Amino acid sequence: DAGITQSPRHKVTETGTPVTLRCHQTENHRYMYWYRQDPGHGLRLIHYSYGVKDTDKGEVSDGYSVSRSKTEDFLLTLESATSSQTSVYFCAISESGQRTDTQYFGPGTRLTVL
Amino acid sequence: AQSVTQLDSQVPVFEEAPVELRCNYSSSVSVYLFWYVQYPNQGLQLLLKYLSGSTLVKGINGFEAEFNKSQTSFHLRKPSVHISDTAEYFCAVFGGYNKLIFGAGTRLAVHP
C-alpha cells in the first residue's frame, strides 16, 4: 500500500468554523490531490498540487484553499465550514501526474458540519 | 470535456454468478480509462487501467474490462463473484491536466 495517511479520520464541527485536513505521504511523489466523495457524484477534484508551493484548482474548489510547504504534506482548509461541505475527503498521490500514472488514495476523512 | 456515466447505481448478484458493471465515457481526445474499487470504510484501490494496446484488460482479483471505442464503453466483468467482492466500483477517465474524472459509482452487493 502506498504510504498515505490522512488526519483527522473523523471530524465534527460547526458551521462557520475553520477546518484543516492533512494529507501526509512517504512516497516522495510529486503530485497530490484532494477529492470529495458524495453520494451520486462519485469523487470530484477540489485542488491539486504539482510541487512544493505549486497548486491549482479542480472542479469544486469554491470554499476551499490548499497549501503545500513540503513535498510530503498537503493541507486542505475550509476557511468557514458550511453544511454543504459535509463529505468524505480523500487525498491521492501520483508520481508524475501523467495520463499513464496511477493515483493512490488515502483512507479518507469523514467531515460533518453541523 | 470528458465525462463518465456508470449506468447502474446498484447491482445485486448471487455468489458465484457472473457480473458486469457498465461504464460509458465521453472524450474528444485519446482515452485513458480506469476502474477503482472501494471497500467499506476504505480508500480507493486501482483494479485495472486501459492506456493503449489490447482492448481486453486484466486486473486484480479476477476482474477484467473491455475497451470498446465504437460504443465508447469500458465495462467491468468477473465470471464468478465472491462475497468479498461486495464494494463500490468507480470508473474514471483521465481528464487532462493531471485530473481523473470519476463516474458516480456502482454498488455491487454479492449475496450468498
Side-chain angles (χ1 to χ4, degrees):
Chain A
D1 290 343
I4 310 170
T5 55
Q6 293 185 232
S7 58
R9 293 292 314 279
H10 302 271
K11 187 171 182 65
V12 179
T13 191
E14 293 189 351
T15 298
T17 60
V19 176
T20 296
L21 308 182
R22 179 180 184 243
C23 176
H24 179 79
Q25 61 146 329
T26 59
E27 306 297 321
N28 200 36
H29 282 2
R30 181 180 172 195
Y31 282 77
M32 299 185 75
Y33 310 80
W34 277 109
Y35 292 89
R36 60 177 289 174
Q37 182 182 23
D38 304 290
H41 291 278
L43 279 78
R44 292 177 292 175
L45 183 66
I46 305 171
H47 282 280
Y48 70 99
S49 170
Y50 48 97
V52 173
K53 293 186 169 48
D54 293 321
T55 65
D56 203 353
K57 295 179 180 180
E59 62 177 309
V60 290
S61 59
D62 287 348
Y64 301 95
S65 62
V66 291
S67 65
R68 190 168 178 200
S69 58
K70 298 186 290 185
T71 298
E72 58 266 34
D73 289 326
F74 192 32
L75 304 181
L76 177 70
T77 297
L78 291 66
E79 301 290 348
S80 178
T82 67
S83 58
S84 64
Q85 293 175 312
T86 292
S87 187
V88 181
Y89 292 86
F90 286 98
C91 174
I93 64 173
S94 71
E95 191 168 6
S96 66
Q98 297 300 311
R99 61 195 69 190
T100 55
D101 241 6
T102 295
Q103 288 191 18
Y104 299 95
F105 286 79
T109 293
R110 184 173 296 275
L111 176 67
T112 302
V113 183
L114 301 176
Chain B
Q2 289 91 342
S3 66
V4 173
T5 302
Q6 292 186 241
L7 298 166
D8 306 292
S9 60
Q10 296 187 60
V11 173
V13 64
F14 287 108
E15 194 173 18
E16 298 184 5
V19 70
E20 177 179 82
L21 307 183
R22 298 180 294 167
C23 172
N24 285 102
Y25 67 89
S26 171
S27 176
S28 58
V29 296
S30 298
V31 177
Y32 302 86
L33 294 156
F34 304 79
W35 274 100
Y36 280 84
V37 60
Q38 183 182 30
Y39 297 105
N41 300 313
Q42 294 187 27
L44 278 70
Q45 177 183 357
L46 182 70
L47 269 180
L48 50 80
K49 60 184 176 182
Y50 172 79
L51 304 178
S52 65
S54 173
T55 57
L56 184 63
V57 181
K58 293 191 182 298
I60 62 171
N61 301 338
F63 283 93
E64 62 182 32
E66 185 160 17
F67 171 63
N68 188 318
K69 187 174 182 178
S70 63
Q71 297 188 8
T72 60
S73 68
F74 190 53
H75 299 336
L76 181 70
R77 302 185 182 103
K78 187 169 182 178
S80 176
V81 295
H82 303 289
I83 296 288
S84 59
D85 292 322
T86 293
E88 189 154 21
Y89 293 79
F90 293 94
C91 183
V93 63
F94 186 79
Y97 299 101
N98 316 301
K99 301 171 187 175
L100 282 178
I101 309 296
F102 284 87
T106 296
R107 194 171 297 275
L108 175 65
V110 181
H111 301 284

